[in-house]
Amino acid sequence: MNSVSPNLDALARHVSLKVNGAERSADVEPRVLLVDFIRTNLRLTGTHIGCDTSSCGACTVLVDGTPMKSCTLLAVQVSGRSISTVEGLAAGAAMSPMQTGFHEEHGLQCGFCTPGMMLVGTALLEHNPNPTEEQIRWAISGNICRCTGYMNIVKAIQHAAAIKAEAVKAPKPEAVAAGGGQ
Amino acid sequence: MFPAAFDYRAPSSLAEAVDILRQRGEEAKVMAGGQSLIPLLKLRFSQPALVVDIGRLPNLAGVERKDGHLRVGALTRHVQVESNTDLRTLCPILPEAAHWIADPLIRNQGTVGGSVCHADPQGDWGSVMLALDADFVARSESGERTIKAADFFQGPFTTALRPDEVLTEIRIPLAAHSAGAYNKLERKVGDFATVAVAVQVEMNGDKIAKAGIGLTSVGDRNLKARDAEKSLAGKQPTDEAIAEAARLAAAAAEPKADVRGSAEFKRDIVRVFVQRGLKTAVARARGGQ
Amino acid sequence: MAATHVHGGIGESIKRKEDSRFLHGKGNYIDDLALPGMLHMSILRSPHAHARLKSVDTSAASGMPGVIAVVTGELMAQHKLAWMPTLSNDTQAVLATDKVRFQGQEVAAVIAETRYQAEDARDAIVVDYEVLTAVTSPEGAKTAGAPLIRDDKENQKDNHIYHWESGDQGTTRAAFAKADKVVRLHTFYPRCHPAPLETCGCVADVNGVTGKATIYMTSQAPHAIRTVFALVTGLPEQNIRVISPDIGGGFGNKVPVYPGYVVATAASLLIGRPVKWIEDRTENLISTGYARDFHMTGDLALDKDGKITALRVHLDSDNGAFFADAQPSKFKAGLFHIVTGSYDIPTAHITADGYYTNKAPGGVAYRCSFRVTEASYLIERLITNAAIEIGMDQAEFRKKNFIRKDQFPYHSATGWVYDSGDYHKAMDVALDQLGYDELRKDVEKRRKQGEVTGIGIASFTEVVGAGHGADFDILGLRMFDSAELRVHPTGKAMLRMGTKSQGQGHETTFAQIVAEELGIPAADVAVEEGDTDTAPYGLGTYASRSTPVAGAATAMVSRKLREKGRKIAAHLLEAAEEDLEWERGRFFVKGSPDKGKTIQEIAFAAYTNLPEGMEAGLEGVHYYDPPNMTYPFGTYAVVVDVDKGTGQVKVKRVVAVDDCGVRINPMIVEGQIHGGLTEGFGIAFMELITFDAEGNCIGSNFMDYLLPTAWESPKFELGETVTPSPHHPLGAKGVGESPTVGSPAAYVNAVIDALSPYGVKNIDMPVTPDKVWAALRAAGVSE
Ligand SMILES: Cc1cc2nc3c(=O)[nH]c(=O)nc-3n(C[C@H](O)[C@H](O)[C@H](O)COP(=O)(O)OP(=O)(O)OC[C@H]3O[C@@H](n4cnc5c(N)ncnc54)[C@H](O)[C@@H]3O)c2cc1C
Ligand code: FES
Ligand code: FES
C-alpha cells in the first residue's frame, strides 16, 4: 500500500483500523494524522481538510460512533478502533436518510463541509432521534459551513430524523437487509 | 501543517506509563486526548522526541462520588462532564463549564486532566478547580502526591507536575448547600474565553460560609481571587456584598489588551461576571439540597 | 392540447443535479487528485512584513530525505519568472529576490516526495533578513519619510498607487454650500477574507515530451488564468490546459493567480513530474486575496425637508504590497461609484486614492461585485445616521429619498444607468414582514425599561453582471461570457460554459435554462465547466456574473438551436416555418396541435434526416456581451438586543427581501441568500484581518479569523419582489452577492439604532463586545 511517507524508518508503527466496516491497515510514522491516513493511505478523499487549528470540522469522522476531528488525532492513537467516514454512509447505491435529507433540503452548496455535517448529524440522531433546532445547531457548532448559512443544514437533519421516524413506524425488510452488508 | 517526527509509546498500564516517564520524561510529552497537544505538534511549537499516549490507560475516566468528594478521573472527557445529569444538582458548575469548552467534537475527545495539565491561562477547567479548591493527584514511579489547585498552576502552560509524573485524578470537596456558576464571554463556539469567571459558594443559613472565585483569561494563569473570596465569608449575599466582591475580583485580575479588547474592558467583565455568578450560585445553593 | 410539461424549467425548485457525488464523498476537489509520480510542494514564507533579503541558504534542506528540489527566487529569476503581472496591471513577486514586502510572502519552495518531508525541509532553509520598518496603513504610507515599499519599480517615488474620481466636483460643491444640514460619517471597512472552506491549490503536470502543461487548480476563472499563464511563462496558449475541478467555495478568493501556482508549474517543468501544492489555512489567510480595507469619509447634504441634495465621498484604499485587485481595468476603485445606492441624489463626487502597504496583496471582491459592498455599506450607514440626526424614522427617510419606480431607467450622478427597480415596494414588503410599526413601539417600550435594543434597515442596490465589454475588461479581456450547447441524436444535451461553479449549483440552474428555452428536461442536460480545453472561453464566475452573463449566453444559444430546430421541424412536418408554433419542447402546426415534432425528434433528425443543404448536427455557441449591468436590490431589516453588562449583541431577527428579477431555481436562490446573509453577519460581527505595528498579521488562522458557526448565526426570514431586468433575455439579475452587499449595514445599523439614545453614531466593523461595551460605558450605561 502506498503510504504517506515512503521512508519507513524505525519509527513506523503498524496501524490497523476498521473503516466503514472493513479492516484496513498500514505501517506509518506516528506523526501521521488520521486525516492523512484516511485520505492518502486509504484513498478515501471524502474526508476533507479545511484548517490547521482544529476549528472547522471538515475532517470529521466517527470514531466508534462518536464524531471527532481526524486532523487532531494521530492514526496510531486510534489503531484498533472503528472509523466511519462519509463513504460509509450509503448502503450501496441507496442514500442514507441523512444523505437524502441534505439532498432534499438543499443542505449543501460547494459540498466541502457536507461529509462532516452529515456524520455529526448521523451521530446526533443515534442518541437523540428527534432533536430540536437548538440541539441541532449546538451539535454542528464544531463544523463550519461557509456556503449555506446553516438554515438548510438544520432542515436536512430534521428531514433525516423524520425519515428515520417513519422507518421505525413501518420497518422495511429490504432496508434492514441492505444496511447489514456492503 | 504537520508534526515533526517523534517516537510513540502507548503504555497499557499506569505502572508502565510512569516507568517510561522515569526513563524519558524530560524528552517526552504525555498525550491524553491530544486536543491541545496535537495542534501544538502540527504548528511545530512542540517537538518532543517521544509521545507517551496515556489515552488507553484503564480506570482513569469517569466521575464518581467517594468519601465526601467528587473524583474526576484525569481521562474524563469534557463531554462526560457536560452530559452527566447528576452533576447538574451535585456540582452544577462542572457541566456548565464543560458546555462552553471548545466545541462538541473536541469535547468528545479532550480530557479534564489534559486541560488542567496544559495550564493554558485561557483554559476553563483551571478556574473552576480554583473556585472549587480541588486537589490534584499525581503519580510517578516513586509514588503518589496531592497538589492543591492553588499551587498547581504556576504560570502560562506551566504546572507543579514533574516530567516524570502523570495526573491521575482531581478530587473536588462536596459540601451541602453549595453550588456554583460559570460565566464565559467567548466570541464564538470554539473560541477560548475573552474572560470567564468561576464562582462557587457554600451557604450557611442566609450567610455565605465560603466562596471560591476563579478567573480565566485575565492573567498569566488561571487566577484565584482571594480577597474577593474572603470578603464574602460570613456575609449575607446582599447587592452591596456582591458588588464589593466583584470589585475586589476585578482588581485582582491582571488582564492584557489584545484583539479581544482592552484591559479595562476585561476587568469590567470580571466584575459583571462575578456579580452574575454569585447571584446564580447563591440561588442554586439555596434551591438545591 | 395542453402544453407538455418539461421538468425543470425556470421557476422550479428542482433538486440539485450535482449533489450526489458530494453526498457520497466522491466530489473531486483539488486535494483529492493523485497523479502517478506526483510530488508535493511546501512554500517558505517571510516572517517579516518588510525586510531585505540578504541570503537564502538551502544547503541543509536540499539533502533531506525525500527532497527533490528547492526553488528560490534566484532560480526563478534565471527563468525570468521571479515576477508576474497582477490583475491590476502591476507586478507581483513570485518568489522574493530583493525584499519581502508582507508577512507571509513567498520566499522559497521545497518539492519532495511527501508533504511531511516537504515541510521538514522547508523548516531547514535558513534565510537572513535585514528587517525594515513596516507600513501598515494608508495613513502610514502617506507620511513624509515613510519607507518606500516598491523600490523595485523605476518610477515609483512614494507609496501612492492611484488617484481616481467619479461624479461632478463643481455641482457637488455648490450643493453642499446650499445644504441645510450635512451629515458626515467616517468609517473603516476593515480587511476581511473570503476564506472558503477549501483553501487554494493546484497540481501542475507539465509533460516534458509534448510540452503540454495541464494545471488543475482551484480557479473561479480558468480561461483568464490560462491566458495570464501564457503571458507569464511564454508557453504557447494551446499547450496550456487549466482544469478547475470541484471547488470548495470561492467567494472571490479563487480569482487571482497566486505565486504558488507559478512555482508549482515551473517546478513540474524543471523536474518532469506532477507537483501538487495545497495551501494550509494560514497561507490562505495571510497571502491570498483579502477584501475591503477601505477608509471612507462620506458627507450627505440635506435640505430642510430631509431630501438628499448631494453626496461626497473620499476613500483611501489599502492595497497591500502589490496592486493586485481583481477588477475591471478602467475602474481603480472597482464599482465603488455605485455609492449613491438606491437614492435619487442629484449630484455626487467621489475621490479615491490607493496606497501600497506592507500587507498581503490582492483586493478581491469577497462575495461582492468589485467594491460594491464598501459602497453599499457607506451609503446605508450614512442614511441611517442622517435619519437619526434629523429625527426622522429610518424607513421613512429612505422612502422619501428612494429613486421612484417611474424614474427607471435611472441615470445616476456617477454615470450608471440603473435598468429597473421598485425600491418602495421591497421596503414595504420587508416592513410588513417584520411588523415594523408594532416592533418600533415595542422597542420604545423596552428602552424605557432600560433595555438596549434596536432595528436596523438597509435598502441596497447592487450592480452586477459585468460587462458590457467595452467598459469592462480584465487585462484587456472583455467581460463577455459564453455557452456552447450540443444536442445529441437521442435528444440529450451537453452544455459547456466559460464560468465555474463553486457551489452555486450551475449544473442545475443552467440545465434549467436549457429546459426552459429548448424544452429538453433539465435531467437530460449535462453541464460542464472548468476545462479550458473543452469549454468555450469565458471570464469566469465572480461578481454575481454567471446568471446575468453566462445564463444569458445559455438562453441565447438555446434559442439559436431552437431556430434551427424550427427549420428541421418544418421539413419533417412538411409545413412552412411560419406555420409552426413553439411550446416548451415541441413545434406544432398552428391550428393542428396534434401535428408536431418534439425537440428529441428534431435532434434525431438533425443527424439523420435533414432538409436539403442544411449542415448536420444541433450544436451552437454563443458569446454574450451584456448591453448593461443588472441592478438587483432589496431591503433588509435586523433586530438586535444588546447586553449592557458585556456588550454582546444578539441578533433576534433578520428579514431579507430580495429582488433579483426572475428566479431560475428559487431553492438555489434562497440558499445563496442564506449563505450571503451569514457571511454578512460574520463581517459585521467577527471577521477581521488586522496587523500590529510590525506588520504581523492577526487573523492568520481560524482561531483568530472568526467564522460564524450554526450557533451564532441568525435565522433568516426571506421575502421577495420580482422586477425583471428589461435587457436580460430571461429577466434575471444575479443574486449570489446581494446578501453580503446589503446585510453588513443592516446589522450595524441595528446596533447603532440600539445605541442611538446614548448618542452613539458609529462603531466600525467588526462590532465586537469590547467596542459596544466602550460605547455603553462612555455613555454611563452599565450593569
Ligand atoms: C479549537 C479548540 C478550542 C478549544 N477551546 C477550549 C476552551 O474554550 N476552553 C478550554 O479550556 N480548552 C479549550 N481547548 C482545549 C481542550 O479543552 C483540550 O481538550 C484540553 O485543553 C486538553 O485536553 P487533552 O486531553 O486533549 O490533552 P492533551 O492535548 O493530550 O494534553 C495537553 C497537555 O497536557 C499534558 N497532559 C495531558 N494529560 C496529562 C496527564 N494526565 N498527566 C500529565 N500531563 C498530561 C500533555 O503532556 C500536554 O502537555 C480547545 C482546543 C481546541 C483545539
Ligand atoms: S481540518 Fe479543520 S478541524 Fe480538522
Ligand atoms: S457547502 Fe460549502 S462549506 Fe458547506
Side-chain angles (χ1 to χ4, degrees), chain A residues 108-114 144-148, chain C residues 197:
Chain A
L108 67 155
Q109 289 183 23
C110 79
F112 206 72
C113 71
T114 313
I144 287 168
C145 175
R146 239 353 217 163
C147 302
T148 65
Chain C
L197 197 53

mmCIF file of all heavy atoms in Angstrom, chain A residues 108-114 144-148, chain C residues 197, ligand 3:
data_model
loop_
_atom_site.group_PDB
_atom_site.id
_atom_site.type_symbol
_atom_site.label_atom_id
_atom_site.label_comp_id
_atom_site.label_asym_id
_atom_site.label_seq_id
_atom_site.Cartn_x
_atom_site.Cartn_y
_atom_site.Cartn_z
ATOM 1 N N LEU A 108 -26.538 21.479 1.040
ATOM 2 C CA LEU A 108 -25.141 21.617 0.637
ATOM 3 C C LEU A 108 -25.036 22.538 -0.567
ATOM 4 O O LEU A 108 -25.961 22.605 -1.370
ATOM 5 C CB LEU A 108 -24.510 20.261 0.284
ATOM 6 C CG LEU A 108 -25.036 19.539 -0.947
ATOM 7 C CD1 LEU A 108 -23.977 18.607 -1.516
ATOM 8 C CD2 LEU A 108 -26.289 18.757 -0.612
ATOM 9 N N GLN A 109 -23.935 23.241 -0.637
ATOM 10 C CA GLN A 109 -23.653 24.036 -1.836
ATOM 11 C C GLN A 109 -22.347 23.551 -2.446
ATOM 12 O O GLN A 109 -22.350 22.733 -3.355
ATOM 13 C CB GLN A 109 -23.669 25.525 -1.505
ATOM 14 C CG GLN A 109 -25.111 26.000 -1.213
ATOM 15 C CD GLN A 109 -25.225 27.485 -0.936
ATOM 16 O OE1 GLN A 109 -24.390 28.277 -1.333
ATOM 17 N NE2 GLN A 109 -26.285 27.879 -0.236
ATOM 18 N N CYS A 110 -21.215 24.001 -1.915
ATOM 19 C CA CYS A 110 -19.954 23.511 -2.503
ATOM 20 C C CYS A 110 -19.667 22.082 -2.082
ATOM 21 O O CYS A 110 -18.870 21.397 -2.707
ATOM 22 C CB CYS A 110 -18.789 24.418 -2.138
ATOM 23 S SG CYS A 110 -18.135 24.160 -0.490
ATOM 24 N N GLY A 111 -20.271 21.639 -1.002
ATOM 25 C CA GLY A 111 -20.122 20.251 -0.574
ATOM 26 C C GLY A 111 -18.904 19.958 0.286
ATOM 27 O O GLY A 111 -18.715 18.820 0.710
ATOM 28 N N PHE A 112 -18.097 20.958 0.556
ATOM 29 C CA PHE A 112 -16.833 20.687 1.235
ATOM 30 C C PHE A 112 -17.053 20.334 2.710
ATOM 31 O O PHE A 112 -16.373 19.481 3.255
ATOM 32 C CB PHE A 112 -15.901 21.893 1.114
ATOM 33 C CG PHE A 112 -14.444 21.531 1.208
ATOM 34 C CD1 PHE A 112 -13.810 20.855 0.165
ATOM 35 C CD2 PHE A 112 -13.700 21.850 2.336
ATOM 36 C CE1 PHE A 112 -12.459 20.510 0.246
ATOM 37 C CE2 PHE A 112 -12.349 21.510 2.420
ATOM 38 C CZ PHE A 112 -11.729 20.842 1.379
ATOM 39 N N CYS A 113 -18.014 20.985 3.344
ATOM 40 C CA CYS A 113 -18.297 20.704 4.759
ATOM 41 C C CYS A 113 -19.235 19.521 4.920
ATOM 42 O O CYS A 113 -19.427 19.023 6.020
ATOM 43 C CB CYS A 113 -18.952 21.923 5.414
ATOM 44 S SG CYS A 113 -20.653 22.200 4.834
ATOM 45 N N THR A 114 -19.861 19.126 3.821
ATOM 46 C CA THR A 114 -21.004 18.225 3.879
ATOM 47 C C THR A 114 -20.715 16.868 4.542
ATOM 48 O O THR A 114 -21.503 16.416 5.377
ATOM 49 C CB THR A 114 -21.586 18.041 2.465
ATOM 50 O OG1 THR A 114 -21.700 19.336 1.861
ATOM 51 C CG2 THR A 114 -22.940 17.389 2.502
ATOM 52 N N ILE A 144 -17.828 24.124 10.454
ATOM 53 C CA ILE A 144 -18.118 25.376 9.767
ATOM 54 C C ILE A 144 -18.605 25.102 8.357
ATOM 55 O O ILE A 144 -18.049 24.261 7.647
ATOM 56 C CB ILE A 144 -16.863 26.263 9.727
ATOM 57 C CG1 ILE A 144 -16.620 26.835 11.131
ATOM 58 C CG2 ILE A 144 -17.019 27.396 8.720
ATOM 59 C CD1 ILE A 144 -15.290 27.481 11.294
ATOM 60 N N CYS A 145 -19.653 25.798 7.988
ATOM 61 C CA CYS A 145 -20.074 25.825 6.592
ATOM 62 C C CYS A 145 -19.982 27.263 6.146
ATOM 63 O O CYS A 145 -20.497 28.159 6.799
ATOM 64 C CB CYS A 145 -21.502 25.314 6.420
ATOM 65 S SG CYS A 145 -22.040 25.482 4.708
ATOM 66 N N ARG A 146 -19.325 27.482 5.046
ATOM 67 C CA ARG A 146 -19.143 28.833 4.555
ATOM 68 C C ARG A 146 -20.233 29.203 3.553
ATOM 69 O O ARG A 146 -20.360 30.353 3.172
ATOM 70 C CB ARG A 146 -17.802 28.869 3.843
ATOM 71 C CG ARG A 146 -16.715 29.789 4.270
ATOM 72 C CD ARG A 146 -16.962 30.790 5.300
ATOM 73 N NE ARG A 146 -16.231 32.009 4.959
ATOM 74 C CZ ARG A 146 -16.492 33.181 5.497
ATOM 75 N NH1 ARG A 146 -17.460 33.313 6.364
ATOM 76 N NH2 ARG A 146 -15.786 34.230 5.161
ATOM 77 N N CYS A 147 -20.979 28.206 3.080
ATOM 78 C CA CYS A 147 -21.891 28.462 1.958
ATOM 79 C C CYS A 147 -23.358 28.594 2.351
ATOM 80 O O CYS A 147 -24.059 29.455 1.840
ATOM 81 C CB CYS A 147 -21.806 27.331 0.934
ATOM 82 S SG CYS A 147 -20.183 27.047 0.240
ATOM 83 N N THR A 148 -23.838 27.718 3.201
ATOM 84 C CA THR A 148 -25.294 27.567 3.321
ATOM 85 C C THR A 148 -25.960 28.452 4.355
ATOM 86 O O THR A 148 -27.188 28.582 4.350
ATOM 87 C CB THR A 148 -25.674 26.124 3.713
ATOM 88 O OG1 THR A 148 -25.147 25.883 5.035
ATOM 89 C CG2 THR A 148 -25.103 25.102 2.759
ATOM 90 N N LEU C 197 -14.089 27.294 2.577
ATOM 91 C CA LEU C 197 -13.672 26.199 3.462
ATOM 92 C C LEU C 197 -12.532 25.386 2.845
ATOM 93 O O LEU C 197 -11.696 24.850 3.561
ATOM 94 C CB LEU C 197 -14.869 25.301 3.791
ATOM 95 C CG LEU C 197 -14.677 24.392 5.006
ATOM 96 C CD1 LEU C 197 -14.255 25.184 6.238
ATOM 97 C CD2 LEU C 197 -15.937 23.609 5.296
HETATM 98 S S1 FES D 3 -21.495 23.704 1.499
HETATM 99 FE FE1 FES D 3 -19.669 24.845 1.146
HETATM 100 S S2 FES D 3 -18.807 24.846 3.118
HETATM 101 FE FE2 FES D 3 -20.733 23.966 3.487
#
